[in-house]
Amino acid sequence: MRVTCPFCDGACTGANLEPLLDPRLDWLWRQIGRAADRRGDAALIKGSISVHVPDSAEERAAATGLLGGRTLKGGQTRQVDLGNLMLKARIRGTALTPGAVAAHALRRRLAVRAAANERRRSREHELLTVFLEGAQFVEHETFRRAEEIWAALRRNGWVSRLVKVGSERHIRSAVDVIAALPAGQSRRDRRQLAVEITGDPHALDHGTALGGFVLAVLVATGRVNSRQRPREAWASVGVECDDVVGGLIAVGILPVGWTLPVGALVTLPPRVLSTCIWPQPDAPDSFVFVTENPSIASASADLAANGHVVRLLCTSGTPATYEITAIGRLSGLGWRVAVRADFDAAGIGHVASILKAVPQALPWRMQTEDYLQSLQIERQEATLDQVPDAPWAPALASVMRERQVAAYEEALLPFLMEDLCRGVPG
């Protein structure tokens, strides 16, 4: 069984390294090792390098036979011809190189980083070639600039990931998925798309490498916003994720034809929200309240169970486009819509997005005084880095930036419950 040398590529086989590894020569091999690392050349058999000669007469004398030429003087810089040094080293071994001897003296492989970088560059070029070949078959105009897309993927770290774990098939599948995206207003189911391209219905699920890479490419082309949630990102290019998970939690406001026990809450999934017909309001100023926190939905269900008329929808975080559209249909029927969320960057963004899409909607206890009251009621420790503008209350964002502390809906829970009982936002 052949034993591989841990320091060189077998150049030491049959060699007598002991005279070359004299401790008095360490200064020479250290400098040769650094040159090998710097050049990315583990052998160092061509050209020359500059070495700094030590002050020690004993160390200089030990190198005289290897370096030859004029007498070495302490502190001087000497040009060393690597070809001549190799010939001197091969007196001790027929395959020895200056780099191989230095590697044994330093007890490590030389030029490892440079070699790794070269392998990475070579691998990236192979993957880029596959990407450019596939891009020719994508009809969307953004793929006419395929090299720019690749550059964007390199900047955000995706190329490094591909070099480490990616494969040509991975890239081809991603490009095929993008080429198969629906055009115009047509829609496709994500799992059906995944089966068509890969044979695996889960290949594009959230958290998969392929699904993440496809979205990264779409972000690089500008077709998808980098801040969108995966479900919304897919929806923006005509791909529907599973339509039975997620949606709005509903208390007291249900699609026409639905019946639930008093006080029950139910999740209306995307499949329902996209087509459901809401009931007509029972009075001109009837409100439907919108919150982001399930804890508020749970408390409102308790109110309903105790005989109060409550109508509330909960987004459970960032509202998806289809959720906002469903809320907008309520407003279109004549329902008054009151919306609120946490006093943090995400919450301000949630409320702003709904108010923009549903102009008739009102903010619900989302004013500056409500924020300050929340801070007085509960001591908050979550800090704020950035706060988007609050168009409905310009001073609110300024105060939040000044305080740099988030406040959550639960702080105002008693007041929110009072509003729900009255059916009118405070």
Side-chain angles (χ1 to χ4, degrees), residues 248-269 272 278 301 304-305 310 312-313:
L248 295 172
I249 299 174
V251 178
I253 179 72
L254 299 171
V256 171
W258 284 48
T259 302
L260 287 176
V262 175
L265 53 75
V266 65
T267 297
L268 305 177
V272 171
W278 295 114
V310 174
L312 179 134
L313 296 172

Side-chain angles (χ1 to χ4, degrees), residues 43-78:
L44 283 186
I45 61 176
K46 294 181 180 180
S48 63
I49 65 169
S50 297
V51 297
H52 181 75
V53 180
D55 293 329
S56 167
E58 191 175 3
E59 291 179 329
R60 296 199 305 271
T64 300
L66 286 173
L67 301 184
R70 298 185 306 275
T71 302
L72 295 173
K73 296 181 179 180
Q76 75 173 161
T77 297
R78 170 68 67 89

